[in-house]
Amino acid sequence: MAGGFLAGCTSAPDPAERSPEPSSPPGPGTAPTPSAARPSPAPPSPKPAPRVTRAATVARYGRMTPTGWGFTAPGVVTKLPSAAGRAIALTFDACGGPGGDGYDRELIDLLRTRKVPATLFLNARWIDANRAHFEQLASDPLFEIANHGTRHRPLSVSGRSAYGIAGTRDAGEVFDEVAGNQDKLTTLLGHPPRFFRSGTAYCDDIAARIVAELGERFAGFSVNADAGATFTPAQVRRAALTATAGSVVIGHMNHPAGGTAEGMARALPGLLAAGHRFVRLSDAVH
């Protein structure tokens, strides 16, 4: 499921558009499994290059015209490298803002109980509303903290929108969306985040180049597990079980009333039984 609803902070699509739900097996037990062992600490980020300024970004990219718009662009990570073998990267977004400041404790507890690592993309607004949760997540070596933008906006140099969310309007606003939360996370974590995902995961090719120039890898996805936290548990399970070796799975951790936690609890045993292991993006993408 490469597309689907991804806004994570807006209203759900019409239930009539959803696929029929399959029957689901019982959820997993709580015993940790060897194939999902707690990872070693993430490798330190390389020493950052001299900071690119907003003025330099506007001067370099302000007159460029994008040629693409969507979930992929040159440099966007949608699959793990082949050297990762049967690894799967679970990634969960926390969008923040009205309707998006929740904390899915059940999902995080599930990952901790089963010792499944994940990369967590946190928006600046969500961090401000959940500072205590942020500090607990940032101190847990099971998780990697990544940049989900300052205002949760689709990343565009021409003002394109996605799911009714207005995108950044020019190269300067792209810089603000990436660098604002990058600065916040650098201060809080003591090092810059390695990965960025825009609000809705949409970008154009010029905006993706700006992300790279700011020293972060743009993370896309290959499996949409919860359609912006609108899927039922059965739908989440079914979507997650489509993951194969090298998949980057996207879900949401800011909608505790959604089906993400229960659906992932139903899916994890099947993925582990198929011989997959789970990694943070930094464990496989260098």
Side-chain angles (χ1 to χ4, degrees):
M1 181 177 297
F5 194 74
L6 275 175
C9 296
T10 58
S11 59
D14 188 338
E17 298 177 356
R18 297 175 178 169
S19 302
E21 300 175 15
S23 59
S24 305
T30 57
T33 54
S35 54
R38 183 177 292 271
S40 58
S45 300
K47 184 176 181 180
R51 176 61 181 266
V52 177
T53 65
R54 190 182 197 277
T57 297
V58 172
R60 176 170 297 186
Y61 297 104
R63 295 183 180 273
M64 292 187 180
T65 301
T67 59
W69 175 247
F71 295 132
T72 62
V76 174
V77 177
T78 59
K79 295 279 288 184
L80 303 181
S82 59
R86 295 189 61 77
I88 292 172
L90 298 182
T91 70
F92 297 98
D93 293 356
C95 307
D101 279 341
Y103 174 59
D104 195 339
R105 186 185 302 274
E106 182 181 350
L107 173 65
I108 297 301
D109 287 348
L110 167 72
L111 299 175
R112 284 173 166 154
T113 297
R114 297 194 66 93
K115 295 183 169 54
V116 171
T119 300
L120 309 180
F121 286 85
L122 309 183
N123 181 263
R125 303 173 305 176
W126 189 91
I127 295 170
D128 290 341
N130 295 276
R131 185 58 63 88
H133 294 317
F134 168 83
E135 291 175 355
Q136 292 172 359
L137 295 168
S139 64
D140 190 335
L142 198 63
F143 304 125
E144 172 182 25
I145 305 301
N147 183 356
H148 196 34
T150 305
R151 297 176 59 195
H152 191 259
R153 301 179 70 181
L155 217 61
S156 166
V157 297
S158 59
R160 297 195 67 165
S161 301
Y163 306 118
I165 300 176
T168 50
R169 294 175 295 184
D170 52 39
E173 288 196 357
V174 170
F175 179 94
D176 296 339
E177 179 66 13
V178 179
N181 200 36
Q182 182 184 63
D183 289 346
K184 178 187 288 289
L185 286 170
T186 299
T187 298
L188 293 172
L189 298 172
H191 59 83
R194 290 191 57 195
F195 296 92
F196 173 87
R197 177 181 286 144
S198 63
T200 74
Y202 267 83
C203 70
D204 64 39
D205 51 304
I206 305 303
R209 289 174 61 180
I210 295 173
V211 172
E213 187 159 294
L214 285 168
E216 298 186 27
R217 296 293 302 273
F218 199 118
F221 63 97
S222 48
V223 174
N224 183 353
D226 68 2
T230 66
F231 273 0
T232 65
Q235 289 174 311
V236 171
R237 171 186 173 273
R238 183 174 59 190
L241 286 175
T242 67
T244 57
S247 289
V248 176
V249 179
I250 185 174
H252 290 77
M253 53 164 285
N254 62 315
H255 287 278
T260 304
E262 184 178 346
M264 291 304 301
R266 297 179 186 181
L268 289 178
L271 292 170
L272 291 168
H276 295 297
R277 62 189 180 92
F278 299 100
V279 298
R280 299 159 302 185
L281 286 174
S282 285
D283 297 324
V285 180
H286 305 292

